[in-house]
């Protein structure tokens, strides 16, 4: 049997196998990272959903004490409705979608802040056990949101690194893989608040 006759075919098969393994490895790694991003995004949504679920209880508790804060309560309810209407598909997340999501959620944060500031005028409400418990739950939820957003960014980084480094970026372009956006601080968060007494 003449082995040299088959040597070029064997070399071609080995080279094709190596290229296939390399290309499929890049794609499979990107898929794994993408699944991690989807899981992290689910955790972000769960944390925001917990806050959304607390808002009706908070509003009802405040409503019983603070009859004069109707516009503030309405603003909280409207911000909650707007935030729940913004949906994002983590597999096709774009910077614009993430910005819209962040804007809607910052509307909720702003409305809740105004509500909690207005509560300062009602000592009976501040002493109410239900209100205190809800306030603690809300603070805990805000910490969970921060943690979930941080973990989302941590999941995005390896994915972006994987598809942006050479020569992977060539195959990523062929596969249609695009960079995922990160959560960023809200506009103006870099400036210290102006506190007046």
């Amino acid at each position: 049997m003449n082995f040299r006759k088959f040597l070029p075919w064997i070399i071609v098969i080995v080279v094709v196998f190596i290229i296939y393994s390399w290309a499929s490895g890049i794609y499979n790694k990107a898929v794994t990272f993408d699944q991690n991003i989807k899981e992290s995004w689910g955790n972000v949504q769960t944390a925001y959903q917990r806050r959304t679920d607390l808002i009706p209880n908070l509003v009802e508790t405040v409503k019983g004490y603070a009859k004069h804060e109707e516009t503030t309560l309405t603003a909280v309810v409207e911000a909650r409705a707007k935030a729940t209407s913004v949906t994002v598909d983590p597999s096709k997340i774009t910077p614009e979608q993430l910005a819209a999501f962040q804007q809607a959620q910052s509307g909720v944060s702003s409305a809740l802040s105004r509500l909690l500031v207005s509560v300062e005028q009602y000592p009976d409400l501040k002493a109410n056990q239900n209100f205190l418990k809800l306030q603690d739950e809300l603070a805990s939820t805000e910490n969970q949101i921060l943690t979930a957003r941080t973990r989302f960014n941590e999941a995005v980084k390896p994915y972006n690194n994987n598809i942006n480094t050479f020569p992977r970026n060539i195959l990523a372009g062929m596969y249609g893989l695009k960079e995922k956006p990160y959560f960023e601080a809200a506009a103006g968060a870099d400036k210290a608040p102006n506190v007046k007494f």
Side-chain angles (χ1 to χ4, degrees):
M1 189 171 184
N2 190 356
F3 180 73
R4 290 183 180 195
K5 183 172 141 182
F6 295 107
L7 187 60
W9 288 105
I10 292 171
I11 291 172
V12 168
I13 289 171
V14 167
V15 168
V16 167
F17 179 75
I18 289 171
I19 291 171
Y20 170 78
S21 297
W22 175 73
S24 64
I26 290 171
Y27 181 76
N28 291 339
K29 197 171 206 174
V31 168
T32 301
F33 289 145
D34 191 50
Q35 290 301 313
N36 291 341
I37 290 171
K38 288 177 183 175
E39 177 188 18
S40 295
W41 182 253
N43 293 338
V44 167
Q45 288 182 309
T46 300
Y48 277 115
Q49 184 63 48
R50 183 169 188 249
R51 179 174 73 178
T52 301
D53 292 344
L54 286 172
I55 289 173
N57 295 333
L58 186 65
V59 168
E60 286 303 313
T61 302
V62 172
K63 199 184 280 186
Y65 286 87
K67 304 268 188 240
H68 305 293
E69 302 299 335
E70 196 64 37
T71 56
T72 306
L73 294 170
T74 303
V76 171
V77 171
E78 288 172 357
R80 176 186 183 260
K82 184 177 179 184
T84 57
S85 70
V86 177
T87 57
V88 175
D89 179 2
S91 62
K92 298 176 183 141
I93 194 167
T94 64
E96 294 79 18
Q97 288 175 326
L98 192 58
F101 181 82
Q102 282 185 263
Q103 184 177 10
Q105 293 301 333
S106 68
V108 174
S109 296
S110 176
L112 281 173
S113 294
R114 286 193 306 275
L115 176 64
L116 294 175
V117 166
S118 69
V119 163
E120 293 297 318
Q121 302 171 18
Y122 303 95
D124 291 344
L125 176 59
K126 286 176 17 184
N128 179 290
Q129 288 303 314
N130 287 338
F131 178 74
L132 292 173
K133 184 178 179 198
L134 284 169
Q135 207 170 16
D136 286 345
E137 291 271 335
L138 200 55
S140 169
T141 300
E142 292 299 328
N143 287 333
Q144 288 177 5
I145 289 170
L146 173 64
T147 301
R149 286 172 54 139
T150 301
R151 289 186 179 152
F152 175 81
N153 283 349
E154 289 170 353
V156 167
K157 182 180 179 182
Y159 174 86
N160 287 347
N161 285 342
N162 185 56
I163 67 164
N164 286 326
T165 55
F166 181 80
R168 289 184 171 112
N169 60 345
I170 296 168
L171 285 175
M174 290 168 49
Y175 290 136
L177 303 175
K178 295 184 177 160
E179 190 171 345
K180 306 275 185 185
Y182 291 98
F183 269 107
E184 296 178 0
D190 56 337
K191 296 176 179 75
N194 187 11
V195 180
K196 294 181 182 176
F197 295 99

